[in-house]
Amino acid sequence: MKTVGQPIPHDSGRGHVTGEALYIDDITAISDELFVDFAGSPVARGTITSVDISEAKKVPGVVGVYTHEDILGHNQFGAVFHDEPFLPNERVEYVGQPIVIIAGNTREAALAGRRAVKIEIASEDPVLDIDTAIDNKNFLGPERRIERGDFDSAWAQAEHKIESTFDSNGQEQFYLESQACIAYPGEDGQIAVESSTQNPTETQAVLAEVLGLGMHEVVVRCKRMGGAFGGKETQAAIPALMAALVTQKTGRAARVVYTKDDDMKVTGKRHPYKTFYKAGFDADGRLTAVQLDFYSDGGAFADLSTGIMERTLLHADNAYYLPNVKIKGRICKTNIPPNTAFRGFGGPQAIAVIENIIQEVAAALGKDAFEIRKLNCYGDAPRNTTPYGQEVQNNLLPQILDQLAETSHYKKRLAEVEAFNQTSPTRLKGIAMTAVKFGISFTTKFLNQGNALVNVYTDGTVQVSTGATEMGQGVNTKIRQIVADEFGIPIDRVVVMTTSTEKNINTSPTAASAGTDLNGAAAAIACAKIRQRMAGYAAELFAETNKDAAPDPESICFEGGHVFDQRNADHKILFGEFTNKARMARIDLGARGFYKTPGIDFDRETGKGNPFFYFTSGAAVAEVDIDRFTGDLRVTGIDLLMDIGRMINPGIDHGQVIGGFVQGMGWCTTEDLVYNDRGELLSYSPTTYKIPNITDIPERFNIAFVDNDGNAKNIRSSKAVGEPPLMLGISAWAAAKHALSCVAGTGPVALSLPATNEAVLMSLTDIPQLAQQRYGGKR
């Protein structure tokens, strides 16, 4: 039986439950291993005037204390721009920015050494918000634009207009395993590290550059991560550098594991955004002119902010055809830790804005937002082309909206909600449907590649190595399924090996929802090479016993753990027996596969091209219940429908949809990053930062998938599922906005994101004033 399409359990599932699955800090320390800590900047912005490490060196158990003076290579690194110092020697740009590295025989000694370091900074006023950065023209990278049609003319002629700003806050990745790394010394100055990283090649490159080594002298391995969500794509580099620097200086293994508090305080998060928008529309609600000016909070250094802003611009349309549109984006430099990748990579911030506009248009016209979405949804030509010129092929969005409206009983529930709000003096309900059209591919073209190494052994078992990293999303399980089916063997005969830069070179990060697409395809290509050699040998082998048929490799089958010629299917050889024979016949049973995504090309200067291989689409209906007196918001119902092609593993994909949606719901309703006026993060623990917990999961949570075999160009006709469901969490925010708009006589209501209880309560308090300011009190 084929394993692709089956809900095979996650290959580490048992280990997760029993505790046998090893993470970085579970690896037993070797006898002379050191523990690493760091001392960071006490202020958000300023010039270093002195760093005194003399007392730290005297602390019992402290083995070494290191500053920028101990770096043998380059002290600047970065994924796009090399603008971030590993250990600054002149200026600091955020609270906690590492300045001094301490190595101790114990964690306690390293911590004591950290406390003994004395750092003096000539402090300057920090820039801590987007508005101040805009006023001061503090920007990172260039402005980017995408345009279509004639916005200015369409805006001037628009029958109805809205114009305002939309704010969305950041989000902490909140992976369960903090940033962690162990470095081991090798011969001749070589270093090997075990790193909790989504990006082994990037980590390898940064280590080599900063330590003054060649990439061939650095090996980075990653067995698994305890979550990442984008937060370990680039930001795993600094802890890896800390450990590796200590190893380079001492010749001893070194381990760094951030505490949860430190991790949340000094690592980057999802970018907060401020968006200035204009939307013109007709009496039916059809959008005729849209202008979006996005400003993101990039933090202190560029990190991946340019790529994130690029994806924001590419998802500003979301599921809707915009005939006349002007989109631009700027990244603001502020004095918080450099913000970074997070599941969705800039897409959620864009989609939230256009969904907000849809809600605003509906409320301004006194119409149902679902009808506005239907009216503006991508459809047939010519309304199937994005602002950047890519055709939305195999578009099921209209079908998804209609099907979900029917199965969720949306119209009936909408009527019930609005009737309830007319009679209840204590509670308020809201309901909304939002959509997602998420492009799958890295928007940086060269990253759309993967390679795999497949080794078949003489007992018929198989090892697979790829550049994919496992962070709980099941990429290794899916790759096992693909490889098992390639050879027609049970999945327990296949194992996916620890990801390592010495087996798979120059790999892309496991990100952009493309882990299985790239690495699964590469593994299948490697398998096909081996199978072709096997088939040639098998044809000759079976011809010896079947004199009536000439050798024909095309007739050789690999099924059910056997090898046979389909013209004489009664004569079968066990796969393990056959591989042993093949080895004796000197058949090469190993291969490397390489895959590059075809048909993608985007010119970021012109804002035109095909940046995506395909789109993953879906929609969700959310219903919320609000306490009118406290603002307490509960999500009471979710109905979700997605097109993810033909699933490689339905069990894992179900889990990804649930997890992605809940994480998006958290961003939209409960998770709120709060900083003080000194640039210190106040919400840095589970007690002050509220991710969704089990009691936040709605009792009504229905998930369904559209049957779609039309994505034949991707591996096994599947579609990526890691990121798209997160954007559907916006439906919970939209439902809250709908609830507030139902308060008698107010019409549209401004609501930033997240819609925390406090934000909802303040909106309820300010509704009359807001309505008067923005809409003259008219519905």
Side-chain angles (χ1 to χ4, degrees):
M1 182 179 71
K2 297 285 188 182
T3 62
V4 168
Q6 301 300 316
I8 304 296
H10 192 291
D11 66 340
S12 297
R14 184 181 296 274
H16 292 158
V17 173
T18 62
E20 295 173 293
L22 294 179
Y23 296 91
I24 297 296
D25 209 27
D26 296 322
I27 298 173
T28 303
I30 62 178
S31 60
D32 66 344
E33 188 171 291
L34 295 170
F35 295 88
V36 180
D37 210 326
F38 67 96
S41 172
V43 302
R45 184 185 184 199
T47 301
I48 300 172
T49 57
S50 69
V51 177
D52 185 354
I53 59 175
S54 58
E55 293 301 313
K57 289 182 176 180
K58 298 175 184 177
V59 172
V62 168
V63 173
V65 185
Y66 308 103
T67 67
H68 69 94
E69 295 178 348
D70 296 289
I71 295 172
L72 299 181
H74 300 289
N75 192 22
Q76 298 283 120
F77 72 97
V80 181
F81 308 118
H82 281 47
D83 64 336
E84 183 171 359
F86 166 40
L87 298 175
N89 64 328
E90 295 180 354
R91 293 189 56 78
V92 292
E93 298 288 349
Y94 63 89
V95 173
Q97 184 178 359
I99 298 173
V100 178
I101 308 301
I102 305 98
N105 288 318
T106 64
R107 282 192 172 96
E108 293 74 18
L111 180 58
R114 165 179 170 164
R115 291 169 175 163
V117 172
K118 297 177 182 177
I119 301 172
E120 298 292 334
I121 308 288
S123 181
E124 303 168 13
D125 291 337
V127 176
L128 299 175
D129 61 81
I130 291 173
D131 288 326
T132 304
I134 294 173
D135 290 342
N136 294 344
K137 293 183 170 52
N138 284 7
F139 298 122
L140 294 164
E143 179 182 275
R144 293 295 184 195
R145 292 174 175 264
I146 292 176
E147 298 185 25
R148 175 169 62 187
D150 185 348
F151 166 80
D152 293 330
S153 176
W155 173 254
Q157 299 173 28
E159 190 174 354
H160 298 275
K161 300 177 182 180
I162 56 175
E163 181 175 0
S164 192
T165 61
F166 184 80
D167 294 298
S168 59
N169 203 357
Q171 185 180 19
E172 163 64 36
Q173 288 91 352
F174 215 92
Y175 31 72
L176 294 182
E177 180 194 29
S178 295
Q179 300 281 359
C181 181
I182 305 174
Y184 297 98
E187 296 180 358
D188 303 321
Q190 298 172 29
I191 290 179
V193 302
E194 299 281 352
S195 177
S196 185
T197 177
Q198 294 173 245
N199 199 348
T201 291
E202 176 72 13
T203 303
Q204 176 194 26
V206 171
L207 288 176
E209 186 174 7
V210 175
L211 299 180
L213 301 172
M215 288 180 69
H216 67 303
E217 296 173 294
V218 179
V219 174
V220 177
R221 296 188 292 263
C222 178
K223 175 63 177 176
R224 62 173 61 85
M225 292 163 276
F229 307 115
K232 296 176 181 177
E233 184 172 341
T234 58
Q235 306 231 331
I238 286 182
L241 284 168
M242 291 178 181
L245 176 65
V246 170
T247 292
Q248 186 179 57
K249 292 298 179 181
T250 64
R252 295 167 63 176
R255 175 186 307 239
V256 60
V257 180
Y258 284 7
T259 65
K260 196 63 184 176
D261 286 6
D262 281 345
D263 194 300
M264 292 186 69
K265 288 177 180 178
V266 305
T267 61
K269 314 187 188 309
R270 186 187 297 283
H271 291 64
Y273 271 60
K274 176 183 280 290
T275 306
F276 299 86
Y277 66 86
K278 295 180 179 179
F281 51 98
D282 63 22
D284 293 325
R286 183 176 285 103
L287 293 168
T288 57
V290 175
Q291 177 174 298
L292 303 167
D293 293 346
F294 294 104
Y295 290 90
S296 70
D297 185 342
F301 304 106
D303 199 89
L304 291 167
S305 292
T306 53
I308 289 164
M309 178 56 76
E310 185 172 280
R311 187 172 280 271
T312 294
L313 269 60
L314 293 169
H315 285 81
D317 58 327
N318 189 25
Y320 311 110
Y321 178 74
L322 308 178
N324 301 288
V325 61
K326 184 185 294 184
I327 313 165
K328 70 177 183 180
R330 290 304 308 257
I331 303 154
C332 296
K333 176 180 169 64
T334 63
N335 295 111
I336 62 172
N339 285 317
T340 190
F342 196 129
R343 197 174 192 173
F345 205 77
Q349 294 94 320
I351 291 171
V353 174
I354 194 67
E355 294 294 346
N356 172 69
I357 288 174
I358 295 289
Q359 294 293 135
E360 296 271 285
V361 169
L365 295 175
K367 292 177 177 288
D368 174 19
F370 170 72
E371 299 301 330
I372 307 301
R373 288 185 169 90
K374 279 275 296 176
L375 185 66
N376 288 282
C377 183
Y378 277 109
D380 297 328
R383 295 177 57 86
N384 66 340
T385 306
T386 66
Y388 43 92
Q390 181 164 0
E391 183 180 329
V392 183
Q393 298 178 341
N394 193 25
N395 175 28
L396 298 185
L397 279 164
Q399 174 187 333
I400 288 170
L401 293 177
D402 284 340
Q403 184 174 329
L404 182 59
E406 181 179 351
T407 57
S408 67
H409 308 291
Y410 170 80
K411 291 185 178 180
K412 176 176 179 290
R413 290 164 62 194
L414 174 65
E416 292 171 349
V417 162
E418 295 192 336
F420 177 88
N421 290 340
Q422 294 296 320
T423 58
S424 175
T426 60
R427 291 160 57 211
L428 193 62
K429 292 186 177 183
I431 188 170
M433 181 191 296
T434 63
V436 64
K437 173 187 66 64
F438 195 77
I440 305 300
S441 291
F442 288 97
T443 56
T444 299
K445 185 177 180 178
F446 80 87
L447 293 176
N448 294 286
Q449 60 176 292
N451 62 80
L453 176 66
V454 176
N455 293 325
V456 180
Y457 294 91
T458 55
D459 63 350
T461 59
V462 182
Q463 286 184 348
V464 188
S465 300
T466 77
T469 55
E470 177 63 65
M471 61 195 90
Q473 83 282 32
V475 63
N476 286 350
T477 306
K478 289 184 176 182
I479 291 172
R480 286 180 71 202
Q481 290 177 265
I482 292 167
V483 171
D485 281 3
E486 286 290 323
F487 293 117
I489 58 178
I491 194 169
D492 61 6
R493 305 288 281 174
V494 180
V495 65
V496 176
M497 307 303 292
T498 296
T499 305
S500 172
T501 57
E502 65 182 332
K503 292 182 180 177
N504 297 99
I505 62 168
N506 309 326
T507 59
S508 299
T510 304
S513 301
T516 301
D517 287 11
L518 296 176
N519 297 282
I525 290 169
C527 292
K529 290 180 179 180
I530 299 170
R531 205 176 60 246
Q532 183 179 29
R533 299 179 204 136
M534 285 180 165
Y537 168 65
E540 298 291 340
L541 185 66
F542 287 120
E544 295 177 5
T545 58
N546 185 14
K547 302 298 184 180
D548 295 331
D552 180 13
E554 297 297 322
S555 297
I556 301 302
C557 295
F558 298 83
E559 292 179 9
H562 292 83
V563 182
F564 58 93
D565 188 322
Q566 62 183 354
R567 298 171 299 178
N568 185 17
D570 291 336
H571 182 201
K572 297 181 179 180
I573 303 177
L574 286 170
F575 186 77
E577 179 183 342
F578 173 79
T579 53
N580 188 53
K581 288 179 178 290
R583 191 250 178 153
M584 295 298 178
R586 298 187 297 180
I587 303 301
D588 183 2
L589 300 180
R592 182 178 184 272
F594 179 80
Y595 173 79
K596 59 181 180 180
T597 310
I600 54 172
D601 198 11
F602 177 70
D603 186 335
R604 55 176 53 92
E605 298 299 327
T606 63
K608 299 296 181 183
N610 292 341
F612 303 120
F613 192 30
Y614 61 87
F615 297 97
T616 294
S617 301
V621 174
E623 189 169 341
V624 301
D625 188 296
I626 295 171
D627 187 308
R628 289 178 184 258
F629 297 105
T630 66
D632 180 56
L633 182 150
R634 294 184 304 112
V635 181
T636 56
I638 297 296
D639 293 86
L640 187 150
L641 179 64
M642 291 200 72
D643 165 26
I644 56 173
R646 187 180 294 172
M647 289 180 277
I648 291 175
N649 189 311
I652 285 174
D653 287 350
H654 260 84
Q656 286 292 290
V657 170
I658 294 169
F661 179 89
V662 170
Q663 193 170 47
M665 184 182 75
W667 173 55
C668 292
T669 61
T670 64
E671 300 182 41
D672 202 14
L673 296 169
V674 180
Y675 295 84
N676 65 17
D677 59 5
R678 296 185 299 277
E680 298 168 329
L681 180 66
L682 302 180
S683 51
Y684 60 82
S685 74
T687 59
T688 52
Y689 185 80
K690 185 179 180 347
I691 63 171
N693 60 36
I694 192 66
T695 60
D696 295 309
I697 307 303
E699 292 183 11
R700 177 191 176 107
F701 201 147
N702 298 321
I703 296 173
F705 299 95
V706 175
D707 291 329
N708 180 15
D709 295 334
N711 194 36
K713 60 185 180 180
N714 198 47
I715 183 74
R716 301 296 181 270
S717 297
S718 66
K719 286 192 174 187
V721 70
E723 293 173 291
L726 184 141
M727 272 64 80
L728 294 179
I730 295 169
S731 62
W733 173 88
K737 187 175 176 76
H738 169 251
L740 294 173
S741 73
C742 288
V743 177
T746 64
V749 174
L751 181 65
S752 59
L753 188 156
T756 61
N757 295 348
E758 296 88 348
V760 170
L761 183 61
M762 287 189 287
S763 291
L764 282 167
T765 303
D766 294 341
I767 275 173
Q769 296 90 328
L770 287 170
Q772 182 66 36
Q773 292 169 14
R774 303 181 73 213
Y775 301 99
K778 298 178 182 178
R779 187 171 178 81

